[in-house]
Amino acid sequence: NAGVTQTPKFRILKIGQSMTLQCTQDMNHNYMYWYRQDPGMGLKLIYYSVGAGITDKGEVPNGYNVSRSTTEDFPLRLELAAPSQTSVYFCASSYSSYGVYEQYFGPGTRLTVT
Amino acid sequence: EDQVTQSPEALRLQEGESSSLNCSYTVSGLRGLFWYRQDPGKGPEFLFTLYSAGEEKEKERLKATLTKKESFLHITAPKPEDSATYLCAVRGGGGADGLTFGKGTHLIIQP
């Protein structure tokens, strides 16, 4: 199993550009999450999904959108990129949050907006 | 609002020098406390889940314990390869269905 994979690894965007961060998991997990990690700060939850077709906001959703059309994929869309979105983005998945299972993380996407 | 505070922010130890990392938390109805290890440029790697006060879990040189207010990650006779940032996170009973993370403890083990 590859686990959780993310693409791209690095990206530089200009202010106002848009992009999609890709996330795929091959563990047949129902739950998927997007976090951002800023230097010296804890990971912050952006959006999460409890299954295909169901998504919900986390702590810091402004400026982002998500969709979940399949169990495996959970892309994160940035519209009109801003310097405040410069961060490292991590995708994670877990079997079931109701049963409080551990989350498994991808390697991250480092995004710079200039 | 769930909160997690980790201390110290950074810790430098000699190889073989045992120590403990602290994770203090406030949460409405703890459903789970998680420890992760994060190497530079990598995603967090799962270590332990603790569910209730008094619970302990061990893995090699690491041992995690839990009380009603805090968790400790004890590192016994550490090696240089244990150098990493250790993250603590909680899953509370309400709010969004994700984890609340602390800022982490950056651990350096010198040979």
Side-chain angles (χ1 to χ4, degrees):
Chain A
N1 286 352
V4 180
T5 57
Q6 293 182 239
T7 57
K9 288 188 174 105
F10 304 94
R11 184 72 186 268
I12 298 175
L13 280 183
K14 294 189 184 300
I15 295 172
Q17 288 185 323
S18 300
M19 76 164 293
T20 299
L21 282 66
Q22 302 291 346
C23 174
T24 300
Q25 55 92 8
D26 64 358
M27 296 174 283
N28 201 31
H29 285 168
N30 290 321
Y31 287 71
M32 295 188 75
Y33 313 82
W34 276 105
Y35 293 87
R36 60 177 287 173
Q37 186 177 39
D38 300 313
M41 302 296 293
L43 281 81
K44 301 288 186 186
L45 182 67
I46 305 172
Y47 269 96
Y48 67 99
S49 170
V50 303
I54 306 171
T55 63
D56 208 344
K57 296 177 181 178
E59 184 181 356
V60 290
N62 292 343
Y64 307 95
N65 278 300
V66 294
S67 59
R68 182 103 180 265
S69 57
T70 67
T71 299
E72 295 78 21
D73 300 306
F74 190 40
L76 178 71
R77 178 80 176 164
L78 277 71
E79 305 282 1
L80 298 175
S84 60
Q85 293 178 305
T86 294
S87 189
V88 182
Y89 292 84
F90 290 102
C91 179
S93 71
S94 69
Y95 177 66
S96 168
S97 182
Y98 179 78
V100 197
Y101 291 90
E102 59 273 15
Q103 296 181 15
Y104 292 91
F105 285 78
T109 294
R110 184 175 295 273
L111 175 67
T112 302
V113 182
T114 63
Chain B
E1 180 181 333
D2 300 342
Q3 291 188 328
V4 177
T5 303
Q6 291 187 245
S7 62
E9 290 185 8
L11 181 62
R12 189 182 296 265
L13 300 172
Q14 292 297 121
E15 183 173 1
E17 181 185 359
S18 301
S19 187
S20 297
L21 313 182
N22 178 264
C23 170
S24 298
Y25 63 89
T26 56
V27 63
S28 57
L30 179 71
R31 292 174 58 191
L33 184 140
F34 301 82
W35 282 99
Y36 286 84
R37 168 190 172 128
Q38 187 174 25
D39 292 303
K42 301 275 185 74
E45 175 188 345
F46 170 73
L47 293 173
F48 303 109
T49 308
L50 301 168
Y51 293 104
S52 57
E55 190 174 0
E56 299 182 351
K57 288 193 177 173
E58 287 188 71
K59 179 181 179 180
E60 296 181 359
R61 295 176 292 281
L62 300 176
K63 178 180 176 181
T65 62
L66 181 65
T67 73
K68 289 187 178 180
K69 294 183 179 180
E70 57 192 350
S71 176
F72 291 93
L73 184 65
H74 306 279
I75 302 176
T76 302
K79 299 181 178 182
E81 54 262 41
D82 294 321
S83 298
T85 296
Y86 290 86
L87 305 175
C88 176
V90 297
R91 173 70 175 99
D97 210 356
L99 299 179
T100 299
F101 280 84
K103 296 180 181 180
T105 293
H106 181 50
L107 177 65
I108 298 173
I109 308 299
Q110 294 180 310

